[in-house]
Amino acid sequence: MLVLFAFAQDTGTVKGTVKDKESGETIIGASVVLASDKGRGAATDFEGNFTLILPAGDQKIIISSIGYESQTIPVKVVKGETATVNVSLGMESKQMEMVVVSAGKFEQKIEDLTVSVAVIKPDLVENRASVTAEDALEQTPGLTIVDAEPQMRGGSGYSFGAGSRVMMLVDDLPLLSGDAGRPSWGFIPVENLEQIEVIKGASSVLYGSAALNGIINIRTAYPKDKPKTKINLYTGLYSAPEQEDARWWDQDDVPIFVGMNFFHSRKIKKNWDLVVGGNFLVDNGFIGPEPADIVKDGEGYVVDYPEDSLGNVIDTVYKKPRKEFSNRFRVNFNLRKRSEKIPGLAFGINGNVMYSKSTSTLLWLNSSYGLYRPFGGSITRTLQTSYNFDPYITYSGVGGSRHSFRTRVFYQNNDNDNNQGNLSYLFYGEYQFAHKFANINDFTITVGTMGQYSLSDAQLYAGNENGDGKNNATNAAVYLQVDKKFWKRLTVNGGARFEYFSVNGRDTVIRPVFRIGANTMLWKEGYLRASFGEGFRFPTIAERYIFTTVGGLPIVPNPDIKPERSWATELGLRQGIKIGKFLGYLDVAGFYQYYYNFVEFNAGRFGDPNNGFLGLAFKSQNTGEARVYGVDASLMGNGQFSDWFGMNVLVGYTYSRPQSVNPDQVYAVDNQGNDLTQVSSTSLLSSSSTAADSSAFRKNPILKYRFEHLVNADIEFVFTIQKKYKLSLGATYRYYSFMQNVDKIFYDVDPIFGWGAVKFREQNNKGDHVFDIRGSITLTEQVKLGVVVKNIANRVYALRPLKVNAPRTTQIQLTVQF
């Protein structure tokens, strides 16, 4: 309980509890101030309680919290006595209220932000039967995930799993692997969501290197006053592909998936909070077995020839052809203790542990009968063990101060079967102090410092200086952000960060970045915002030292790769909407981001001339300067039009133009003395052309593996039947424009390997339309039954060349809550 002591003799005490009017849950962090002296106040504690010592006499206190209508309560303060004031706050009804934390590391109304934000609520995640965070994010405007790699507004392409320009967070702490900077989507808990917050644009000031294009923050929920248990059971199947000759399974052997997720949350006694959750999945997969090398005793086998350290063949091994599948078991917990002796103090530990066994495919066999089968040597079996443990302590002091110290140990071991194993540890710690000045209205200052140390032991990254695959990376930073609101209609913020990086004790870099933003209310529920921010990204261990071959394609290290930096600006308008009983907002933003030392994963003759590809190999390269500009628009809202009918809407459109600034700039020279430019390494296939033409890139220098146009739409109708049953019907639509630009190497070697990639792109050059439908009904207050059909048209499409997306899936889900 937070108390403000007054140094006056004639004082009395006012105490009470603040609750949500609708749910009856207590409200943590609500502001309680004296109307005549707003510098005298307190905030409610973890139980929603407050205590104030005020001058005796007739007083008025103002009680408020973000997203709620404030109340002014008269109270008679008697010297030496205690008055009790219990208040229930109702939600603001002027528009659909949303509160986010990620934009400024403290709670803010979404209309006060100076950057673009998308918020995904847990109901949408559950109703779409999303079993991973990757599934849950599919409907986020401006965000695409291509073969497990997040792309924000066209700021990044496909990088074969090395490096990310989008920071992934769980409860404000980074969850990208310490070596490759890659998210593991199945490891992220989505069964106990508060909400998912997506910040678009350069966010390096608050979140560091990997936040060059934005962040995704998965916020988990803490227990409410009442215990809650939820169990989701689901099962589904993959439909036969549209191309009948591509179906690899028999009619009576359809690939299926089955799984369960659960969580239980409760308050224990008075001061303990506990959440336990988990996920179990068995997925047979829709990619069939790799082609057999020989037939032996009537069965097909893949032949492997292990070599010794000198490259001599020492054995012949016959293996059954493998197919793609994914099995995992994960359990997580949140445990928090709220101190009784020290009001405002809390400490605890969060944890997550997963074991999985899976295979993944890099290349398809061909674009006809082999569309859903792997190319020989391109399938990888992975036994993954992952865990993170996050001890922390927080203290909310008198007068609006908050201290937090959060740590994370993140371990990931990918035991791969093709000399690509990698193990990494990430140790992270961050201290943050925030203060909201009671005597200066709406003024908050946030300062912090962080440190991160990564250790990697990997066959995959043996391209380091010692050739042993043992690498380390160090990152440290200090940051500052200031937020101030003027005249209740203008919000201004600014911040700075100083970052230190080092890999293997070399290439040390110290870099400052800055940001500034403003938001003003133009008219009723109309908010104009503008922001400018710098970004900085230090290449990962993987980008520097990866040394392997996948599906015959060599990948070589680049220890001399340089950090990339950028600046970004945005101008946006958010308009609140109230049409009858429909509440929502329309948001439109124009954005521009400019990059220096832009990193792309390109092909050139960097390899051994005798590698079977005439020396061709992939390598992470600084390719000069690049820019991305465009427009991002979204509509989000809901309406309860009668006692029996409601609707939820989320629609987004993004146009982005990612370009090379100097396509003829020589960014590297290969091992054979050839100059490399974006033009020489790129093939562009326009919707009106049927042939790859590198020179066309000079006229239309769109960066590789990007979509210029993206559309996301989700609409849901909710019907209440006999005041007892709820029937929900929903539909989802996604449009991906044609990916004009890919690596030229795929055109050069496609005829040799017979992939059919060029033919597939020529036949599918109009973009992809993907539709999902769903329905659910609440049978009782505790039980809900749902059906989800994804890719209902069973469209054959590939968001990344040489890797087909899933055919139609039909899933049944049973949800039990008590």
Side-chain angles (χ1 to χ4, degrees):
M1 192 181 303
L2 305 182
V3 184
L4 181 70
F5 294 97
F7 297 97
Q9 295 181 350
D10 298 333
T11 60
T13 302
V14 179
K15 69 177 184 178
T17 304
V18 181
K19 294 185 176 183
D20 182 293
K21 187 175 182 179
E22 183 175 344
S23 68
E25 301 283 351
T26 55
I27 300 175
I28 301 172
S31 172
V32 185
V33 298
L34 183 63
S36 60
D37 180 7
K38 293 182 180 179
R40 182 171 294 188
T44 56
D45 63 12
F46 292 106
E47 301 291 333
N49 300 323
F50 70 91
T51 298
L52 281 174
I53 298 176
L54 300 177
D58 293 329
Q59 305 289 355
K60 291 182 179 181
I61 58 175
I62 301 173
I63 303 174
S64 62
S65 184
I66 291 179
Y68 292 89
E69 296 277 5
S70 62
Q71 290 191 28
T72 301
I73 308 294
V75 58
K76 186 174 183 63
V77 182
V78 179
K79 177 182 177 180
E81 297 185 8
T82 298
T84 301
V85 178
N86 295 322
V87 178
S88 295
L89 298 181
M91 297 294 293
E92 290 186 341
S93 59
K94 60 182 181 178
Q95 74 170 74
M96 185 180 63
E97 283 296 329
M98 284 192 189
V99 177
V100 298
V101 173
S102 306
K105 293 208 172 187
F106 65 95
E107 285 195 345
Q108 296 173 281
K109 291 182 180 181
I110 199 167
E111 63 264 28
D112 290 337
L113 302 181
T114 62
V115 294
S116 290
V117 178
V119 178
I120 305 298
K121 291 293 187 179
D123 287 346
L124 178 61
V125 176
E126 180 181 308
N127 293 343
R128 294 193 68 245
S130 300
V131 297
T132 67
E134 183 178 6
D135 294 335
L137 289 162
E138 274 188 332
Q139 288 308 114
T140 307
L143 175 69
T144 53
I145 300 174
V146 178
D147 203 11
E149 297 183 9
Q151 302 179 0
M152 194 87 74
R153 289 175 167 176
S156 57
Y158 181 66
S159 62
F160 289 77
S164 176
R165 295 188 181 100
V166 179
M167 171 64 82
M168 176 63 66
L169 305 163
V170 175
D171 291 327
D172 302 321
L173 297 178
L175 203 67
L176 295 173
S177 60
D179 49 11
R182 180 181 175 92
S184 179
W185 296 104
F187 181 63
I188 299 171
V190 294
E191 52 272 4
N192 179 37
L193 277 181
E194 180 72 27
Q195 62 187 26
I196 301 176
E197 299 173 3
V198 180
I199 310 296
K200 306 172 190 179
S203 303
S204 294
V205 167
L206 286 179
Y207 294 100
S209 172
L212 194 68
N213 291 155
I215 69 161
I216 300 170
N217 191 7
I218 312 289
R219 291 179 56 199
T220 59
Y222 273 100
K224 307 297 183 183
D225 290 342
K226 296 180 181 179
K228 183 177 181 180
T229 300
K230 181 179 284 189
I231 301 172
N232 283 327
L233 302 171
Y234 54 88
T235 185
L237 56 85
Y238 295 97
S239 295
E242 187 180 59
Q243 297 177 223
E244 178 60 27
D245 62 346
R247 178 169 59 87
W248 51 267
W249 61 84
D250 297 328
Q251 293 284 6
D252 57 352
D253 189 26
V254 176
I256 65 170
F257 54 93
V258 61
M260 176 189 72
N261 59 53
F262 68 93
F263 80 89
H264 172 75
S265 66
R266 68 183 304 118
K267 292 184 177 181
I268 302 175
K269 294 184 178 179
K270 187 177 180 181
N271 296 93
W272 287 92
D273 297 327
L274 174 66
V275 179
V276 178
N279 171 254
F280 169 78
L281 174 69
V282 175
D283 186 348
N284 290 343
F286 61 93
I287 300 296
E290 59 191 331
D293 294 325
I294 65 169
V295 176
K296 185 178 180 181
D297 299 328
E299 294 190 32
Y301 289 88
V302 176
V303 183
D304 190 20
Y305 302 97
E307 298 177 351
D308 61 18
S309 59
L310 300 176
N312 300 312
V313 174
I314 57 176
D315 197 3
T316 301
V317 179
Y318 298 94
K319 299 183 294 186
K320 285 291 188 71
R322 297 164 300 172
K323 62 180 292 297
E324 203 170 89
F325 68 90
S326 178
N327 302 330
R328 69 169 178 265
F329 176 74
R330 174 174 50 76
V331 63
N332 58 84
F333 67 89
N334 294 357
L335 181 65
R336 178 172 68 178
K337 174 70 164 61
R338 290 168 275 115
S339 174
E340 295 181 78
K341 295 182 179 180
I342 305 176
L345 178 67
F347 51 88
I349 183 170
N350 301 337
N352 192 15
V353 180
M354 183 183 78
Y355 175 79
S356 67
K357 182 177 182 179
S358 63
T359 54
S360 58
T361 301
L362 180 67
L363 307 169
W364 66 40
L365 180 59
N366 56 59
S367 61
S368 55
Y369 68 87
L371 195 59
Y372 294 88
R373 303 186 76 168
F375 185 74
S378 72
I379 190 167
T380 302
R381 189 274 298 146
T382 301
L383 304 178
Q384 185 184 87
T385 304
S386 303
Y387 64 75
N388 69 272
F389 294 106
D390 311 337
Y392 67 91
I393 183 169
T394 64
Y395 175 67
S396 298
V398 175
S401 295
R402 177 178 172 83
H403 303 260
S404 72
F405 179 61
R406 296 181 177 273
T407 63
R408 168 165 287 168
V409 177
F410 178 28
Y411 168 90
Q412 190 168 86
N413 184 7
N414 295 306
D415 179 3
N416 298 330
D417 66 345
N418 52 3
N419 295 321
Q420 295 181 15
N422 54 96
L423 180 152
S424 68
Y425 288 90
L426 184 147
F427 304 93
Y428 182 89
E430 180 176 8
Y431 167 74
Q432 182 187 121
F433 169 76
H435 184 76
K436 187 172 183 179
F437 291 86
N439 57 343
I440 306 176
N441 288 340
D442 296 309
F443 178 52
T444 302
I445 184 170
T446 305
V447 296
T449 182
M450 60 76 66
Q452 177 176 301
Y453 183 69
S454 301
L455 283 173
S456 173
D457 187 353
Q459 300 165 297
L460 193 57
Y461 310 130
N464 60 342
E465 293 81 3
N466 297 326
D468 57 3
K470 298 181 185 298
N471 300 283
N472 65 80
T474 304
N475 177 206
V478 294
Y479 60 86
L480 163 73
Q481 175 152 313
V482 176
D483 296 79
K484 178 70 176 78
K485 194 165 188 177
F486 299 91
W487 312 295
K488 295 184 178 181
R489 62 187 306 125
L490 173 65
T491 300
V492 178
N493 57 34
R497 184 185 187 98
F498 288 84
E499 199 103 21
Y500 166 88
F501 295 92
S502 178
V503 172
N504 291 344
R506 66 190 294 266
D507 296 334
T508 298
V509 174
I510 300 176
R511 176 75 189 180
V513 290
F514 304 91
R515 72 175 297 266
I516 189 169
N519 179 313
T520 185
M521 185 172 69
L522 298 177
W523 49 72
K524 185 176 181 180
E525 303 307 330
Y527 298 86
L528 179 69
R529 67 179 181 274
S531 63
F532 173 87
E534 293 182 304
F536 182 78
R537 192 181 75 86
F538 199 75
T540 62
I541 290 172
E543 288 170 288
R544 286 175 172 268
Y545 300 126
I546 186 169
F547 194 21
T548 188
T549 299
V550 180
L553 297 176
I555 303 174
V556 297
N558 184 3
D560 299 319
I561 191 171
K562 299 177 181 177
E564 55 185 355
R565 58 189 178 91
S566 78
W567 59 265
T569 187
E570 175 182 307
L571 181 67
L573 177 66
R574 180 181 296 267
Q575 177 62 56
I577 298 172
K578 185 175 183 181
I579 304 174
K581 294 185 178 181
F582 180 85
L583 299 175
Y585 65 79
L586 174 67
D587 190 285
V588 180
F591 56 89
Y592 186 97
Q593 189 158 7
Y594 198 94
Y595 301 85
Y596 304 89
N597 290 329
F598 195 64
V599 175
E600 291 275 73
F601 197 66
N602 286 343
R605 286 186 166 84
F606 305 114
D608 185 340
N610 300 315
N611 65 7
F613 283 86
L614 303 176
L616 284 170
F618 280 94
K619 188 177 185 179
S620 292
Q621 292 278 342
N622 296 110
T623 60
E625 299 176 12
R627 60 177 170 238
V628 181
Y629 60 88
V631 177
D632 195 0
S634 60
L635 170 67
M636 185 175 187
N638 57 60
Q640 188 65 43
F641 301 103
S642 67
D643 292 340
W644 61 272
F645 176 63
M647 181 176 68
N648 301 307
V649 175
L650 174 60
V651 179
Y653 167 73
T654 303
Y655 166 75
S656 61
R657 188 75 172 173
Q659 294 180 324
S660 172
V661 174
N662 301 304
D664 287 303
Q665 176 184 338
V666 177
Y667 62 80
V669 177
D670 66 20
N671 293 353
Q672 299 182 22
N674 299 307
D675 291 341
L676 295 182
T677 68
Q678 289 282 44
V679 170
S680 67
S681 63
T682 300
S683 280
L684 183 142
L685 183 66
S686 71
S687 58
S688 61
S689 172
T690 58
D693 182 5
S694 296
S695 63
F697 182 72
R698 186 177 291 107
K699 299 177 181 178
N700 193 16
I702 299 172
L703 297 173
K704 297 180 300 183
Y705 304 110
R706 268 75 164 187
F707 304 101
E708 283 189 89
H709 301 274
L710 294 170
V711 179
N712 307 80
D714 188 277
I715 185 167
E716 182 179 52
F717 301 101
V718 181
F719 304 89
T720 303
I721 303 171
Q722 297 180 350
K723 297 183 179 181
K724 182 178 181 181
Y725 305 103
K726 280 192 175 181
L727 173 66
S728 171
L729 300 175
T732 292
Y733 167 70
R734 296 183 300 281
Y735 170 71
Y736 307 91
S737 64
F738 178 65
M739 182 183 287
Q740 296 194 41
N741 197 341
V742 299
D743 280 294
K744 187 175 183 294
I745 187 176
F746 289 123
Y747 285 84
D748 293 338
V749 303
D750 188 63
I752 300 174
F753 293 99
W755 290 326
V758 175
K759 181 180 178 181
F760 185 88
R761 282 173 54 76
E762 290 173 351
Q763 294 175 342
N764 298 271
N765 61 0
K766 303 296 184 183
D768 293 300
H769 304 266
V770 184
F771 296 88
D772 308 334
I773 61 171
R774 64 181 184 271
S776 66
I777 185 168
T778 54
L779 304 176
T780 68
E781 289 186 2
Q782 291 79 32
V783 180
K784 181 169 71 173
L785 181 65
V787 177
V788 179
V789 183
K790 297 183 179 180
N791 189 12
I792 188 172
N794 205 19
R795 183 177 181 84
V796 176
Y797 70 106
L799 295 186
R800 194 263 289 171
L802 297 171
K803 179 66 181 289
V804 70
N805 285 76
R808 177 174 54 237
T809 61
T810 304
Q811 178 175 334
I812 299 175
Q813 178 172 279
L814 178 67
T815 303
V816 181
Q817 179 175 309
F818 49 90

